[in-house]
Amino acid sequence: MRIATWNVNSVRQRLAPLLAFLKETAPDVLCLQELKCEEGAFPRLEVEDAGYNVVLHGQKTFNGVAILSRHPIEETIVGLPGFDGEGQSRYIEAVVSDGAGEILRVASIYAPNGNPPETPKYAYKLAFMAALTEHARALLRLEETTVLAGDYNIIPEDRDVHDPAAWAGDALFLPQSRAAWRRLTNLGYTDALRAVSDAAGLYTFWDYQAGAWQKNKGIRIDHLLLSPQAADRLSRVEIVKAARAGEKPSDHVPVFADLA
DNA sequence: ATGACTGCACTCTGCAGA
């Protein structure tokens, strides 16, 4: 099973690269974030024609998450359980069959940015992470092959950012944000990328501004967290860095986790 | 060089993103 996550920064603006990505890389499951459209405006026919089933939690202008699957989608949870999202579409979960009797539980997550930190936006970010952690704790008890994938808007460690000092006061890198990340992973989830590499400078986001891409001033904020049953099967992780170099790219690139 | 962008909407300016 090849599972990918990608914050597309508007699915309508990214339709051509999205369809090309599906055709070229053929993920079994793709989690999308920042659709920036309501369900009625989602390019469902195009995605279905590419061979994918779709479930999504849309919203006008902001947020929006989807799960695309080549295999049947058997069960869906829309919205993060236990969290009053105040109308923000940031979580969808589905149980996907692989057609051979195995199931995968997968979530597509768009965690809040949280800037500026001295505002209610930061409290909202931490509240989301607390609710996500509680739900993730409940999911572990199922002892299933589970992948919690998405844009967490958290830089876990110094090695995940080009200039730690420059990001010290940012909501993505504040100690409380990183502590929230550790509380989640410490439950027993494996950060897929860190299971295969200790290297610094493996980024998934480069700002559109100030030549961040050209100067490789990136950050790693898109993550796939694996339940123990999923981690047992992890064979490969890939950050599709080339996606940032195309025409009209998203500011995020896709990340793959392959399960044997 | 403390610069530089992109997408969206009650659009031609302001907000959000990270």
Side-chain angles (χ1 to χ4, degrees), chain A residues 54-106:
Chain A
V54 184
V55 290
L56 69 106
H57 190 194
Q59 181 184 337
K60 192 175 185 178
T61 311
F62 303 119
N63 310 313
V65 288
I67 297 172
L68 280 51
S69 172
R70 300 173 71 182
H71 310 292
I73 297 174
E74 298 183 341
E75 185 184 320
T76 307
I77 296 174
V78 177
L80 178 58
F83 183 68
D84 174 8
E86 300 169 8
Q88 300 189 26
S89 301
R90 295 182 175 277
Y91 186 94
I92 190 166
E93 175 183 323
V95 175
V96 175
S97 162
D98 70 352
E102 288 193 70
I103 66 155
L104 168 75
R105 184 177 295 270
V106 59

Side-chain angles (χ1 to χ4, degrees), chain A residues 19-162:
Chain A
L19 295 176
F21 176 78
L22 292 174
K23 190 172 181 181
E24 290 164 13
T25 71
D28 291 283
V29 177
L30 174 60
C31 299
L32 298 176
Q33 300 88 37
E34 280 210 270
L35 305 177
K36 293 190 171 181
C37 67
E38 293 175 304
E39 179 151 10
F42 184 91
R44 178 178 288 277
L45 293 178
E46 292 88 338
V47 169
E48 288 179 348
D49 281 349
Y52 287 82
N53 301 300
V54 184
V55 290
L56 69 106
H57 190 194
Q59 181 184 337
K60 192 175 185 178
T61 311
F62 303 119
N63 310 313
V65 288
I67 297 172
L68 280 51
S69 172
R70 300 173 71 182
H71 310 292
I73 297 174
E74 298 183 341
E75 185 184 320
T76 307
I77 296 174
V78 177
L80 178 58
F83 183 68
D84 174 8
E86 300 169 8
Q88 300 189 26
S89 301
R90 295 182 175 277
Y91 186 94
I92 190 166
E93 175 183 323
V95 175
V96 175
S97 162
D98 70 352
E102 288 193 70
I103 66 155
L104 168 75
R105 184 177 295 270
V106 59
S108 181
I109 300 164
Y110 178 47
N113 174 302
N115 280 307
E118 67 276 11
T119 68
K121 291 185 176 191
Y122 193 61
Y124 184 88
K125 178 190 185 86
L126 295 179
F128 181 94
M129 288 304 298
L132 178 60
T133 300
E134 287 315 300
H135 182 57
R137 186 195 309 277
L139 290 181
L140 277 184
R141 295 193 203 103
L142 301 176
E143 300 188 1
E144 295 175 339
T145 301
T146 299
V147 180
L148 307 180
D151 175 1
Y152 282 80
N153 267 315
I154 295 177
I155 301 164
E157 299 177 283
D158 282 1
R159 59 182 166 168
D160 298 313
V161 52
H162 63 93

